[in-house]
Amino acid sequence: MSSATTNTSHSTNTPRKRKRLLAPREEIPWFPTLDLLVCNGCADCIVYCKPGVFELDEKKGVKRPKVKITNPFKCLVLCTRCVPICTSGAIKLPNPKDFEHFVEEYEE
Ligand code: SF4
Ligand code: SF4
């Protein structure tokens, strides 16, 4: 019996573009920094950042904690999605142009 559901043909699919890093992640200093004077602790960045770069900085006696960056190297190199969702303007990232040489795009 032949299988009608094999998944080996790519003739109608356009190749998927993927990215890979050209250096170990810990050697690429791409991650956000925070201006805690303007962070209001809304936590939108925690919800929005799927890799989990941010966490609430919970301290005893603080009613509305701010955030901290606990996993900087989980930040996806050249991602900038959290910057516009922070309406306080507390999140800063480096200039992407300075990091483009760390990322190579390839087709699957
Ligand atoms: S989105 Fe901005 S203001 Fe809200 S917790 Fe994150 S850094 Fe702070
Ligand atoms: S740039 Fe992307 S991966 Fe990095 S902290 Fe912001 S949302 Fe997360």
Side-chain angles (χ1 to χ4, degrees), residues 38-77:
V38 297
C39 170
N40 61 26
C42 71
D44 285 352
C45 54
I46 297 174
V47 173
Y48 205 78
C49 176
K50 298 300 179 207
V53 171
F54 305 95
E55 281 178 22
L56 271 185
D57 190 8
E58 293 180 287
K59 292 178 183 142
K60 272 190 180 167
V62 176
K63 282 189 183 159
R64 185 157 190 179
K66 302 198 177 195
V67 294
K68 59 183 175 182
I69 292 165
T70 48
N71 296 303
F73 293 115
K74 284 189 177 177
C75 180
L76 305 175
V77 178

Side-chain angles (χ1 to χ4, degrees), residues 15-18 105-108:
R16 272 174 47 141
K17 290 200 168 173
R18 291 191 161 267
E105 209 169 65
Y106 67 100
E107 290 182 352
E108 253 188 349

Side-chain angles (χ1 to χ4, degrees), residues 5 11 16-17 59 82 91 95-96:
T5 58
S11 58
R16 272 174 47 141
K17 290 200 168 173
K59 292 178 183 142
C82 55
I91 302 175
N95 186 344

